[in-house]
Amino acid sequence: MVGNAILALSVLQTLLAREAFTYALIGEDLSLRELAPNFQTFLNNADIQKGQSAAEVFDALIGSESVIRDTLKEENSEYGLEYIHFSQPNQPLRYLSLRICPYHKNAERLFLLIAEDVTSAALIEQRAIQARNELRLLRIRLNLENANL
């Protein structure tokens, strides 16, 4: 059991170091309570601080406060957003996936927010949609040409 915990911790530290994802603990008021060591660098924003509203950091969370609080009451197992556009001035285009789930630390009820960079998957999906649309257009043109013949 201890060996599994050590392995899990090693994997987590490797993923954090590679900037594959980051995490934060959020209070019931949806403010950032604790930040992963790579939180600011992952988001390319050194101005993010403890106590700041999570919705200030992630615009996509604006208006989702009641759903997120239902997650804390465990009416929902988690709250997730896929492929949210995340941009910073003078930084390349990025897409993130956000997951928020209940987390209990001692007697305190918190949220665990996990942000994962899914830019490559989002771009592949966009290319697939574009290719599918181009094929539909070619099929329509082919049907028109066949009707003309």
Side-chain angles (χ1 to χ4, degrees), residues 52-71:
Q52 188 173 357
S53 166
E56 287 178 25
V57 177
F58 301 104
D59 293 343
L61 295 177
I62 294 172
S64 302
E65 292 86 351
S66 64
V67 177
I68 296 171
R69 286 194 181 94
D70 288 345
T71 303

Side-chain angles (χ1 to χ4, degrees), residues 6-7 20 44 57 85 98 110 114 124 127 132 141 148-149:
I6 292 171
L7 175 62
N44 297 320
V57 177
H85 181 255
L98 297 180
L110 302 167
I114 301 167
I124 289 170
R127 287 187 204 116
R132 205 171 24 249
R141 287 181 182 163
N148 287 338
L149 287 176

